[in-house]
Amino acid sequence: MASKVLNVFYKDDDILMEAVKKVQSKNYRIEEVFCPFPVHGLDKLLKVKHTRLAITSFLYGLVGISVALTMMNYIMIIDWPQNIGGKPSFSLIENLPSFIPTAFEMTVFFAAHLMVITFYMRSKLWPFKKAENPDPRTTDDHFLMQVSVGNNDIQEVAEFLNTTGAVEIDLKK
Amino acid sequence: MSHYEAPIRKPLVTGDKSYHDITVEIARPVEGKANKSWWIVFSIALIAFLWGLGCIVYTVSTGIGTWGLNKTIGWAWDITNFVWWVGIGHAGTLISAVLLLFRQKWRMAINRSAEAMTIFSVVQAGLFPIIHMGRPWLAYWVLPIPNQYGSLWVNFNSPLLWDVFAISTYLSVSLVFWWTGLLPDFAMLRDRAVKPFQKHIYGILSFGWSGRVKDWQRFEEVSLVLAGLATPLVLSVHTIVSFDFATSVIPGWHTTIFPPYFVAGAIFSGFAMVNTLLIIMRKVVSLEDYITVQHIELMNIVIMITGSIVGVAYITELFMAWYSGVEYEQYAFLNRATGPYWWAYWAMMTCNVFSPQFMWFPKLRRSIMFSFFISIVVNIGMWFERFVIIVTSLHRDYMPSAWTMFSPTFVDIGIYIGTIGFFFVLFLLYARTFPVIAQAEVKSIMKSSGEKYKKIREEKGDDANLYEMPEPKTLPDFKKLIAEANSKNDSSDANSKSE
């Protein structure tokens, strides 16, 4: 039989943080925590690895600038070079000053949009996605900690959690 | 956990509020019914919008000849309005991105509406170049799309094309920045919704946001990186808009000071518009506890500083015209100040340089009525600035026989009024359907910057407990619950097997 999980509700971020420390000292497993707002330090406390989204953004930016320069080199230098107001147009490097604004904008465009798309995909966010917070109050003022009972006595675990400042404890369905 | 903030900092959320109170108060304008004043303002805005739409249809079906343009002045109200709207669109990203990087907590009450304003005003700005094309259905020709005309590519040497890339990047990045921030707040509305229709709509809009720890970690990282990207972006956009003029050889336009001068002017007019909108909105939807006098004062200080930067730029322009020794340049500026358009020049000077200086007085910058008045004055002044730069530089060109004046037709005026109407239609709809304050973020600063907790620290010291432990509850007998659930499952399992 799979281990039972208790839904433990708190109504304050400080109490939640303290409770997490207490639960960890008892070696109970915290499966997930749902919060109505970002609680600073909670991810470190739960040993959630730091996200690598910023790195992806940098890489996407490199893709953006490469796409921009390749495109402008093809269009303005290779495919159809033109003499526009006598501006140098014989090589990418000569014409580069004119290309900087577009190259910059496309770098930002790729870095921002692809990072956000990556975030949405990694966190499984998209239109028509069904929300997965177990209780509607977790977007209002309740913090929900899901604690796995494991091989411990469920009543004992619940009694302990009750002392950490929980406002409600119930069984995960 | 420390929520310490220097006591000298004024509270950003006033009143004795719990987290739940914030939810209720921010959901109220969305969940309640619109009042009479909303309907009146909305109707006026809608009529203005429809009037503008009529003028646009007339322009497109008849031609640009319906405008007051002539052979000397080929750019007038269209580009004036374009730059004006793009400028207004700068405050939103500045508030949400630059102030985030500087860790300014006061941005949280106003960033949502400022970003909405940004998006709606960039939409208005984008209309003008598209209408001015004459054949707006060919607007996609500004994109580098392979084609059978030769191949006829767009010109990447042209600042007008840089504008296409800058403004579309700005609009789309601002939109995703805004929407990502909206997800937790839409989720809050979704989870509170009683009627199934609303629940469904906010469910779609919130993208299934659940608020796991990992989601929040990513959310904060994405916000920070987007702010880092949007900060140079917002500066680049108005820089590139100013290149439209600065790369030309028209006296009065051909100056290197344009990029910083335009950016400062944009922030100036953007903050003025934020003040105009929020001073009304905080009253109408009773959010005075979140958008406090402190917020208005800080915005007034930004207006004062950027207004002074703009003033320095005006004077530098005059100095450089004289110092350059170029007589065409000198004449262009002399003509601006003393020629037939002197009234526009002095309206600009009075509104943009003189009027923000009142904000040196704490009493005036803390007065809501006065702030509102100045915000309107600044918006008028910034419109005149663009009019002065564009029309006075063009109307007396190198050939005196071509000298002329510009007078707008009813179509010029109609389209301008129409965009103001369209802007307010969008903003009013937004105010009724979106969470107008980033409530999740506001909740996260309550303990450091909320009045309630500041008071507790004042009374009990900086290391005071900012929470009360709830009384332990009597717990149900979980073993019994499990046993009951199991017996139910067993019987249903047996049923499914027999099927």
Side-chain angles (χ1 to χ4, degrees):
Chain A
M1 191 181 82
S3 163
K4 291 285 167 194
V5 174
L6 287 171
N7 283 337
V8 193
F9 291 86
Y10 297 91
K11 276 190 84 172
D12 188 281
D13 41 339
D14 288 341
I15 298 177
L16 171 77
M17 290 288 276
E18 288 303 317
V20 168
K21 285 178 203 160
K22 286 178 199 159
V23 171
Q24 282 173 339
S25 71
K26 276 273 193 181
N27 284 331
Y28 295 144
R29 217 177 92 78
I30 299 173
E31 303 249 297
E32 189 58 83
V33 181
F34 294 88
C35 302
F37 59 82
V39 179
H40 293 273
L42 183 62
D43 52 342
K44 283 208 184 75
L45 207 56
L46 290 170
K47 301 194 177 61
V48 176
K49 268 196 210 142
H50 195 73
T51 170
R52 292 167 295 177
L53 278 168
I55 299 166
T56 68
S57 180
F58 178 75
L59 298 177
Y60 293 142
L62 291 181
V63 173
I65 195 164
S66 312
V67 170
L69 291 176
T70 310
M71 177 186 75
M72 287 188 284
N73 185 49
Y74 175 71
I75 291 175
M76 299 295 291
I77 312 292
I78 297 171
D79 190 43
W80 204 273
Q82 294 171 86
N83 184 340
I84 298 162
K87 285 177 186 171
S89 59
F90 300 108
S91 72
L92 180 69
I93 210 79
E94 274 184 353
N95 214 161
L96 197 60
S98 286
F99 296 162
I100 298 245
T102 309
F104 171 78
E105 297 302 333
M106 286 183 70
T107 308
V108 171
F109 188 91
F110 276 65
H113 287 298
L114 294 177
M115 174 185 62
V116 170
I117 291 170
T118 310
F119 165 49
Y120 286 174
M121 286 170 67
R122 292 291 288 153
S123 274
K124 300 191 169 57
L125 300 165
W126 48 79
F128 300 102
K129 170 84 184 352
K130 231 178 123 44
E132 285 163 355
N133 49 333
D135 191 288
R137 291 171 300 174
T138 60
T139 53
D140 176 3
D141 62 342
H142 281 61
F143 301 79
L144 169 55
M145 177 161 73
Q146 294 186 323
V147 182
S148 169
V149 174
N151 294 325
N152 305 297
D153 180 75
I154 191 163
Q155 206 63 30
E156 210 172 276
V157 178
E159 289 296 345
F160 167 74
L161 291 168
N162 207 10
T163 62
T164 59
V167 289
E168 198 181 309
I169 300 174
D170 58 34
L171 204 59
K172 185 185 168 186
K173 280 173 197 97
Chain B
M1 202 167 46
S2 168
H3 295 286
Y4 177 76
E5 185 181 86
I8 197 164
R9 292 195 183 273
K10 287 181 190 148
L12 297 176
V13 181
T14 55
D16 186 26
K17 283 190 208 316
S18 68
Y19 293 141
H20 183 63
D21 294 335
I22 299 178
T23 305
V24 172
E25 282 168 14
I26 288 163
R28 192 195 298 132
V30 179
E31 290 168 350
K33 274 200 157 58
N35 56 14
K36 207 171 160 191
S37 53
W38 186 91
W39 279 110
I40 293 169
V41 180
F42 184 77
S43 311
I44 296 169
L46 192 65
I47 291 166
F49 171 42
L50 292 175
W51 174 247
L53 204 61
C55 289
I56 290 171
V57 170
Y58 179 50
T59 301
V60 171
S61 55
T62 311
I64 301 297
T66 56
W67 294 358
L69 302 176
N70 51 51
K71 69 183 180 351
T72 310
I73 304 169
W75 269 5
W77 275 43
D78 51 339
I79 192 99
T80 302
N81 298 336
F82 163 75
V83 182
W84 189 70
W85 277 120
V86 174
I88 287 170
H90 271 54
T93 310
L94 195 99
I95 287 170
S96 54
V98 180
L99 297 186
L100 187 144
L101 294 183
F102 283 107
R103 297 271 185 262
Q104 293 298 304
K105 289 175 186 162
W106 61 277
R107 61 178 267 285
M108 288 174 187
I110 53 176
N111 66 346
R112 177 69 39 76
S113 297
E115 282 172 54
M117 179 194 83
T118 288
I119 290 157
F120 301 151
S121 57
V122 174
V123 168
Q124 310 311 323
L127 282 175
F128 285 99
I130 291 173
I131 303 164
H132 200 170
M133 285 174 187
R135 287 181 284 172
W137 51 93
L138 298 181
Y140 70 92
W141 282 13
V142 302
L143 301 173
I145 297 170
N147 58 74
Q148 299 300 311
Y149 295 98
S151 163
L152 193 62
W153 293 110
V154 289
N155 175 13
F156 283 98
N157 291 308
S158 164
L160 296 179
L161 186 68
W162 303 344
D163 251 354
V164 172
F165 280 83
I167 296 199
S168 44
T169 303
Y170 185 57
L171 178 64
S172 64
V173 171
S174 301
L175 191 68
V176 295
F177 197 0
W178 189 50
W179 208 271
T180 303
L182 273 163
L183 295 179
D185 297 356
F186 277 143
M188 177 274 279
L189 290 176
R190 169 199 74 206
D191 287 345
R192 275 176 61 83
V194 188
K195 295 178 197 150
F197 178 70
Q198 270 84 339
K199 204 167 192 72
H200 186 64
I201 293 292
Y202 287 114
I204 295 171
L205 296 179
S206 66
F207 290 9
W209 175 266
S210 305
R212 291 185 181 88
V213 177
K214 190 71 189 175
D215 296 344
W216 279 118
Q217 187 200 43
R218 289 189 182 125
F219 176 90
E220 294 222 286
E221 184 83 350
V222 164
S223 305
L224 188 64
V225 175
L226 278 181
L229 289 168
T231 301
L233 177 65
V234 69
L235 301 181
S236 82
V237 173
H238 229 59
T239 297
I240 291 174
V241 168
S242 82
F243 285 165
D244 292 348
F245 306 102
T247 58
S248 72
V249 289
I250 308 285
W253 288 5
H254 187 70
T255 52
T256 47
I257 199 178
F258 261 24
Y261 158 31
F262 267 52
V263 170
I267 297 165
F268 179 54
S269 63
F271 269 77
M273 190 58 119
V274 173
N275 247 354
T276 310
L277 294 174
L278 292 191
I279 286 174
I280 300 175
M281 198 179 78
R282 73 195 279 274
K283 192 88 198 156
V284 174
V285 294
S286 2
L287 291 172
E288 285 104 329
D289 282 341
Y290 300 91
I291 303 165
T292 64
V293 176
Q294 169 71 359
H295 290 92
I296 293 168
E297 182 179 353
L298 289 167
M299 284 195 278
N300 282 332
I301 292 173
V302 176
I303 289 173
M304 180 182 83
I305 291 167
T306 49
S308 305
I309 295 173
V310 168
V312 170
Y314 292 165
I315 294 161
T316 309
E317 270 191 324
L318 290 177
F319 172 80
M320 288 315 294
W322 167 72
Y323 190 64
S324 68
V326 179
E327 55 197 69
Y328 303 104
E329 197 73 23
Q330 288 169 345
Y331 178 75
F333 282 90
L334 191 70
N335 180 52
R336 271 188 198 177
T338 61
Y341 281 114
W342 65 271
W343 47 271
Y345 183 81
W346 292 105
M348 157 189 116
M349 274 293 191
T350 320
C351 296
N352 293 350
V353 186
F354 180 67
S355 73
Q357 302 307 320
F358 285 110
M359 297 305 182
W360 287 98
F361 302 101
K363 205 167 195 159
L364 290 175
R365 65 171 184 256
R366 283 177 204 148
S367 153
I368 289 171
M369 280 306 285
F370 189 74
S371 302
F372 184 74
F373 171 70
I374 289 291
S375 74
I376 300 283
V377 167
V378 168
N379 276 316
I380 295 169
M382 284 309 289
W383 190 88
F384 273 111
E385 180 199 293
R386 279 66 182 251
F387 180 79
V388 165
I389 290 171
I390 292 155
V391 173
T392 68
S393 302
L394 288 174
H395 88 124
R396 290 196 166 171
D397 59 5
Y398 291 108
M399 191 164 64
S401 64
W403 286 6
T404 181
M405 298 291 281
F406 174 81
S407 60
T409 62
F410 81 94
V411 186
D412 283 297
I413 300 168
I415 295 178
Y416 177 50
I417 290 173
T419 55
I420 296 174
F422 190 14
F423 175 78
F424 277 96
V425 164
L426 292 173
F427 196 83
L428 287 162
L429 289 175
Y430 150 81
R432 293 275 306 115
T433 47
F434 280 50
V436 294
I437 282 176
Q439 53 92 26
E441 287 188 89
V442 168
K443 283 172 186 169
S444 73
I445 60 159
M446 270 305 280
K447 286 197 171 170
S448 59
S449 312
E451 193 186 18
K452 178 180 169 187
Y453 297 99
K454 281 198 173 255
K455 269 189 185 152
I456 295 177
R457 277 199 298 269
E458 208 170 289
E459 282 164 20
K460 298 181 185 162
D462 288 330
D463 55 350
N465 246 0
L466 298 177
Y467 55 86
E468 277 170 42
M469 278 301 249
E471 292 291 309
K473 305 278 172 311
T474 43
L475 291 173
D477 187 350
F478 284 106
K479 281 173 193 158
K480 208 170 134 193
L481 280 176
I482 293 170
E484 275 170 20
N486 282 346
S487 63
K488 248 184 222 164
N489 280 346
D490 286 347
S491 58
S492 61
D493 279 355
N495 285 343
S496 59
K497 266 173 204 159
S498 64
E499 281 162 17

